[in-house]
Amino acid sequence: MILRKQFLEHVGQTSPSPMMIEVERAEGAFFYTPEGKRYFDLVAGVSVSNVGHANPEVICAVQQQAADYMHIMVYGEMVERPQVEYARRIAELLPGNLDCVYFVNSGAEAVEVALKLAKRYTGRTELISMRRAYHGSTHGAMSMMGTPEGEEWKAEFRPLLPDVKSITFNSFDDLSDITERTAGVLCEVVQGEAGVRLPNPEWLRALRARCTEVGALLIFDEIQTGMGRTGAMFAATKYDITPDVVCLAKAFGGGMPLGGVAANRQLLDSFTHNPCLGHITTFGGHPVCCAAGLAALNYLVNNKVVESVEHKGAMFEERLKKHPRVLKIRRSGLLLALELGKAEYLYRLMEIFKEEGIMSDWFLYCDTAFRISPPLTITESEIAECCTIIERSLDRL
Ligand code: PLP
């Protein structure tokens, strides 16, 4: 009780009604309150905890690296094994010539770096993003929330970046808005906060072709889709498209704060001259975070976790689409939006979920659907049990 009171007094808030669930510990697909109440974690820190909470291999890597060394010097000056090994592994797994990673602290910072890189490399100023995109909450990333839907979120923070244009995800017609003036086009491969909107693979190919034609950098935001969430290590590989730049964060740090911008070495080298120190960051690529991310990646690969994602996602979908309250399911791997049609149903369901021990959430641009994005390590029997609780909760609506 005291802790909750102090939480409201001393910890900065971003909503007038925080969930206020106290966490004591977390393991696998669950977290627990001090009273011993168990929650199925269907948010996973918004697609962060892909390898499950308290993953023993990640814990071991964190402990070992923390004991060896933590922070030494600002990013990019020292040779640190966890950074080098992680960057090498990511380069092996990314498509095409994406052979180099610039490490940062978060998703928004990765987006900032990618936008700066596009301007610096092309010498152009125009940036394009998709309507209903979410790329982070800093000024630059927020500028890329598409208009008009993003207006609700960004209006009070204007002026934001100039020379930013929005086009419609999956619109072939809008591709002609990408021109020789465009420095970069930023695009989520699957739009997460729009309520899980899948790309038309043909459109992704046309987007790639258009960017190549006019010399604009194609930047994929894989912050939510990366590290296995959609059933492939990266959504880019799922759709067989090689962008010029990939932004990574969330699960990329294995539960620790880490972001990355992957591109070709020559492209990323733009930051080394005219001016040098084109982007600097004290803690980017922190060795403990890189060790955690590398351990998480090795866990995904060694245990063939990504290979199980499509089947597990389909288990949720097949079972829950039968419930009369569920109007539609949009899904990519283990990223699902279950459409209820009305915001009032959703808000009521969130209350019921809290009682029933389910942690879910709505989406920034879609408050009529709820989210299922559990740790990718959730087992089949846990999915079956979870679906039973969700069905019971939907019955209570
Ligand atoms: N891009 C996408 C697609 C996201 O979903 C998010 C966070 O939800 C971000 C960027 C921003 O990441 P961060 O919160 O680490 O700044």
Side-chain angles (χ1 to χ4, degrees), residues 46 106-109 111 134-137 188 193 221 223-224 249-250:
V46 189
S106 68
E109 192 186 3
V111 169
Y134 180 70
H135 298 292
S137 216
E188 294 164 90
E193 294 311 309
D221 177 341
I223 289 164
Q224 194 156 176
K250 293 192 182 280

mmCIF file of all heavy atoms in Angstrom, residues 46 106-109 111 134-137 188 193 221 223-224 249-250, ligand 1:
data_model
loop_
_atom_site.group_PDB
_atom_site.id
_atom_site.type_symbol
_atom_site.label_atom_id
_atom_site.label_comp_id
_atom_site.label_asym_id
_atom_site.label_seq_id
_atom_site.Cartn_x
_atom_site.Cartn_y
_atom_site.Cartn_z
ATOM 1 N N VAL A 46 5.585 -4.816 -24.228
ATOM 2 C CA VAL A 46 5.401 -4.438 -25.633
ATOM 3 C C VAL A 46 6.511 -5.090 -26.482
ATOM 4 O O VAL A 46 7.436 -4.431 -26.972
ATOM 5 C CB VAL A 46 5.321 -2.909 -25.850
ATOM 6 C CG1 VAL A 46 4.897 -2.572 -27.285
ATOM 7 C CG2 VAL A 46 4.317 -2.269 -24.894
ATOM 8 N N SER A 106 17.729 2.923 -27.213
ATOM 9 C CA SER A 106 16.275 2.695 -27.253
ATOM 10 C C SER A 106 15.791 2.706 -28.691
ATOM 11 O O SER A 106 16.558 3.021 -29.626
ATOM 12 C CB SER A 106 15.568 3.823 -26.504
ATOM 13 O OG SER A 106 15.727 5.037 -27.240
ATOM 14 N N GLY A 107 14.492 2.431 -28.834
ATOM 15 C CA GLY A 107 13.884 2.450 -30.155
ATOM 16 C C GLY A 107 13.872 3.854 -30.741
ATOM 17 O O GLY A 107 14.247 4.070 -31.892
ATOM 18 N N ALA A 108 13.423 4.815 -29.926
ATOM 19 C CA ALA A 108 13.343 6.194 -30.435
ATOM 20 C C ALA A 108 14.721 6.688 -30.870
ATOM 21 O O ALA A 108 14.852 7.354 -31.902
ATOM 22 C CB ALA A 108 12.754 7.105 -29.359
ATOM 23 N N GLU A 109 15.748 6.335 -30.106
ATOM 24 C CA GLU A 109 17.088 6.797 -30.483
ATOM 25 C C GLU A 109 17.536 6.127 -31.787
ATOM 26 O O GLU A 109 18.193 6.763 -32.627
ATOM 27 C CB GLU A 109 18.126 6.559 -29.368
ATOM 28 C CG GLU A 109 19.423 7.317 -29.657
ATOM 29 C CD GLU A 109 20.560 7.035 -28.686
ATOM 30 O OE1 GLU A 109 20.402 6.201 -27.776
ATOM 31 O OE2 GLU A 109 21.636 7.639 -28.855
ATOM 32 N N VAL A 111 15.613 5.331 -34.207
ATOM 33 C CA VAL A 111 14.904 6.059 -35.267
ATOM 34 C C VAL A 111 15.581 7.402 -35.534
ATOM 35 O O VAL A 111 15.783 7.792 -36.691
ATOM 36 C CB VAL A 111 13.412 6.220 -34.886
ATOM 37 C CG1 VAL A 111 12.712 7.206 -35.821
ATOM 38 C CG2 VAL A 111 12.711 4.865 -34.930
ATOM 39 N N TYR A 134 3.893 4.352 -35.572
ATOM 40 C CA TYR A 134 4.485 4.787 -34.306
ATOM 41 C C TYR A 134 5.966 4.438 -34.331
ATOM 42 O O TYR A 134 6.341 3.296 -34.594
ATOM 43 C CB TYR A 134 3.822 4.119 -33.087
ATOM 44 C CG TYR A 134 4.466 4.605 -31.811
ATOM 45 C CD1 TYR A 134 4.279 5.921 -31.383
ATOM 46 C CD2 TYR A 134 5.325 3.790 -31.062
ATOM 47 C CE1 TYR A 134 4.905 6.405 -30.244
ATOM 48 C CE2 TYR A 134 5.948 4.269 -29.921
ATOM 49 C CZ TYR A 134 5.731 5.574 -29.514
ATOM 50 O OH TYR A 134 6.360 6.064 -28.396
ATOM 51 N N HIS A 135 6.813 5.448 -34.039
ATOM 52 C CA HIS A 135 8.257 5.215 -34.087
ATOM 53 C C HIS A 135 8.965 5.693 -32.829
ATOM 54 O O HIS A 135 10.198 5.656 -32.778
ATOM 55 C CB HIS A 135 8.858 5.916 -35.305
ATOM 56 C CG HIS A 135 8.325 5.404 -36.608
ATOM 57 N ND1 HIS A 135 8.602 4.133 -37.070
ATOM 58 C CD2 HIS A 135 7.518 5.973 -37.535
ATOM 59 C CE1 HIS A 135 7.997 3.953 -38.248
ATOM 60 N NE2 HIS A 135 7.328 5.042 -38.541
ATOM 61 N N GLY A 136 8.225 6.168 -31.835
ATOM 62 C CA GLY A 136 8.881 6.612 -30.609
ATOM 63 C C GLY A 136 8.417 7.993 -30.214
ATOM 64 O O GLY A 136 7.650 8.648 -30.935
ATOM 65 N N SER A 137 8.927 8.466 -29.077
ATOM 66 C CA SER A 137 8.348 9.627 -28.424
ATOM 67 C C SER A 137 9.280 10.833 -28.342
ATOM 68 O O SER A 137 8.915 11.843 -27.749
ATOM 69 C CB SER A 137 7.920 9.199 -27.018
ATOM 70 O OG SER A 137 6.750 9.846 -26.646
ATOM 71 N N GLU A 188 7.250 0.658 -40.666
ATOM 72 C CA GLU A 188 7.154 -0.597 -39.910
ATOM 73 C C GLU A 188 6.763 -1.679 -40.918
ATOM 74 O O GLU A 188 5.893 -1.434 -41.763
ATOM 75 C CB GLU A 188 6.055 -0.512 -38.861
ATOM 76 C CG GLU A 188 6.291 0.474 -37.748
ATOM 77 C CD GLU A 188 4.995 0.768 -37.001
ATOM 78 O OE1 GLU A 188 4.686 0.078 -36.035
ATOM 79 O OE2 GLU A 188 4.287 1.704 -37.410
ATOM 80 N N GLU A 193 1.292 -0.433 -33.587
ATOM 81 C CA GLU A 193 0.368 0.386 -32.805
ATOM 82 C C GLU A 193 -0.874 0.808 -33.594
ATOM 83 O O GLU A 193 -1.812 1.360 -33.037
ATOM 84 C CB GLU A 193 1.100 1.596 -32.215
ATOM 85 C CG GLU A 193 2.160 1.213 -31.184
ATOM 86 C CD GLU A 193 1.643 0.231 -30.139
ATOM 87 O OE1 GLU A 193 0.591 0.499 -29.544
ATOM 88 O OE2 GLU A 193 2.278 -0.816 -29.939
ATOM 89 N N ASP A 221 11.497 -0.061 -39.649
ATOM 90 C CA ASP A 221 11.425 -0.047 -38.190
ATOM 91 C C ASP A 221 11.013 -1.447 -37.743
ATOM 92 O O ASP A 221 9.849 -1.830 -37.841
ATOM 93 C CB ASP A 221 10.402 1.004 -37.738
ATOM 94 C CG ASP A 221 10.223 1.032 -36.227
ATOM 95 O OD1 ASP A 221 10.583 0.038 -35.560
ATOM 96 O OD2 ASP A 221 9.708 2.033 -35.712
ATOM 97 N N ILE A 223 11.531 -2.511 -34.686
ATOM 98 C CA ILE A 223 11.666 -2.415 -33.234
ATOM 99 C C ILE A 223 10.687 -3.354 -32.543
ATOM 100 O O ILE A 223 11.027 -4.002 -31.551
ATOM 101 C CB ILE A 223 11.514 -0.931 -32.829
ATOM 102 C CG1 ILE A 223 12.770 -0.177 -33.288
ATOM 103 C CG2 ILE A 223 11.262 -0.776 -31.330
ATOM 104 C CD1 ILE A 223 12.646 1.336 -33.315
ATOM 105 N N GLN A 224 9.492 -3.456 -33.093
ATOM 106 C CA GLN A 224 8.521 -4.382 -32.500
ATOM 107 C C GLN A 224 8.506 -5.745 -33.200
ATOM 108 O O GLN A 224 8.222 -6.763 -32.585
ATOM 109 C CB GLN A 224 7.116 -3.755 -32.522
ATOM 110 C CG GLN A 224 6.138 -4.490 -31.643
ATOM 111 C CD GLN A 224 4.946 -3.690 -31.150
ATOM 112 O OE1 GLN A 224 4.102 -4.262 -30.499
ATOM 113 N NE2 GLN A 224 4.839 -2.413 -31.410
ATOM 114 N N ALA A 249 15.233 -2.544 -31.468
ATOM 115 C CA ALA A 249 15.226 -2.221 -30.028
ATOM 116 C C ALA A 249 14.327 -3.265 -29.352
ATOM 117 O O ALA A 249 14.206 -4.381 -29.858
ATOM 118 C CB ALA A 249 14.741 -0.801 -29.762
ATOM 119 N N LYS A 250 13.706 -2.929 -28.261
ATOM 120 C CA LYS A 250 12.806 -3.837 -27.536
ATOM 121 C C LYS A 250 13.484 -5.197 -27.277
ATOM 122 O O LYS A 250 14.413 -5.270 -26.508
ATOM 123 C CB LYS A 250 11.473 -3.964 -28.264
ATOM 124 C CG LYS A 250 10.684 -2.651 -28.237
ATOM 125 C CD LYS A 250 9.279 -2.861 -28.699
ATOM 126 C CE LYS A 250 8.485 -1.578 -28.725
ATOM 127 N NZ LYS A 250 7.991 -1.155 -27.441
HETATM 128 N N1 PLP B 1 9.052 1.808 -33.143
HETATM 129 C C1 PLP B 1 8.061 0.945 -32.893
HETATM 130 C C2 PLP B 1 7.464 0.155 -34.023
HETATM 131 C C3 PLP B 1 7.585 0.769 -31.589
HETATM 132 O O1 PLP B 1 6.597 -0.097 -31.355
HETATM 133 C C4 PLP B 1 8.189 1.518 -30.552
HETATM 134 C C5 PLP B 1 7.724 1.371 -29.163
HETATM 135 O O2 PLP B 1 6.630 0.908 -28.888
HETATM 136 C C6 PLP B 1 9.223 2.402 -30.857
HETATM 137 C C7 PLP B 1 9.636 2.513 -32.170
HETATM 138 C C8 PLP B 1 9.882 3.240 -29.800
HETATM 139 O O3 PLP B 1 10.722 2.464 -29.013
HETATM 140 P P1 PLP B 1 11.202 3.023 -27.577
HETATM 141 O O4 PLP B 1 9.995 3.021 -26.698
HETATM 142 O O5 PLP B 1 12.275 2.058 -27.144
HETATM 143 O O6 PLP B 1 11.731 4.396 -27.792
#
